[in-house]
Amino acid sequence: MPPWMTPERREPSHEPVDERTALEDRLDYQRTTLLVKCGGLTPDQLVQQSAPPSNISLLGLVRHLSGVEAWFHGYDGRPDHQFFWNYVPGASDGFSGVTADRADDDLASYLASVERSRRAVRDRALDDVVPGERDTLRWIYLHLIEEYARHNGHADILRERIDGATGE
């Protein structure tokens, strides 16, 4: 399998039109940052657990964040979508059982999860609560921005250990 493509990343506006735009733009920036950290690497590199004793790999982060996107999926009326966490025994977080031969499928699933998230909340107000839960859409945006930012810090370290690449 060839290396993953590196997407173009757009800096969010420092003067957003409104709160919703600011949240969407910042989350998209974090989503793209994750893919930038993976860009140019082969599937074998993406599965390297390069910061022992941790079992985290870049592909594991992609898988994990695909499942984290399910916070938004509660708004579309369908059951939570757990792309990776249910089919790998013991993989309650998406980090276990990562293999290079599934890298392209894992990326496709991640992208589908992000697109599903966008569709699920497109017409929702920031004060809307997830059906059956107590969390507002605003809180979920903030939580996911935080989650991505934390894991993108991990991705920085993993990437540097794999090939020496550093950056934002």
Side-chain angles (χ1 to χ4, degrees):
M1 287 185 237
W4 277 13
M5 299 297 297
T6 303
E8 188 173 325
R9 186 176 57 177
R10 183 180 62 80
E11 179 74 30
S13 172
H14 291 264
E15 297 177 21
V17 175
D18 56 31
E19 179 185 16
R20 177 68 176 259
T21 301
L23 292 170
E24 289 174 352
D25 287 352
R26 185 54 60 179
L27 181 55
D28 281 342
Y29 181 81
Q30 293 296 329
R31 288 168 170 155
T32 305
T33 297
L34 175 67
L35 298 177
V36 166
K37 297 297 173 193
C38 297
L41 295 179
T42 65
D44 287 332
Q45 290 172 309
L46 291 168
V47 299
Q48 285 182 22
Q49 296 172 350
S50 60
S54 174
N55 72 335
I56 295 175
S57 65
L58 289 169
L59 188 57
L61 287 172
V62 170
R63 291 171 60 165
H64 174 74
L65 289 162
S66 179
V68 168
E69 288 283 339
W71 279 87
F72 288 120
H73 302 169
Y75 287 99
D76 68 10
R78 297 185 337 223
D80 280 351
H81 118 146
Q82 303 284 319
F83 276 117
F84 306 104
W85 300 353
N86 291 333
Y87 78 77
V88 178
S92 62
D93 56 10
F95 299 122
S96 303
V98 179
T99 61
D101 63 322
R102 288 210 33 90
D104 289 342
D105 290 336
D106 290 347
L107 174 61
S109 293
Y110 171 77
L111 296 173
S113 184
V114 168
E115 185 54 36
R116 178 177 170 190
S117 293
R118 288 185 179 120
R119 283 191 317 271
V121 301
R122 181 179 6 224
D123 298 324
R124 298 289 186 152
L126 291 176
D127 291 329
D128 284 355
V129 176
V130 175
E133 300 289 335
R134 63 183 177 100
D135 303 316
T136 65
L137 181 56
R138 178 182 290 104
W139 184 89
I140 294 170
Y141 269 110
L142 293 169
H143 178 70
L144 263 69
I145 291 166
E146 171 188 57
E147 181 89 4
Y148 269 92
R150 181 168 61 95
H151 286 311
N152 282 337
H154 299 140
D156 276 338
I157 294 166
L158 294 168
R159 178 66 189 251
E160 185 174 5
R161 301 265 312 177
I162 291 168
D163 70 354
T166 60
E168 298 180 22

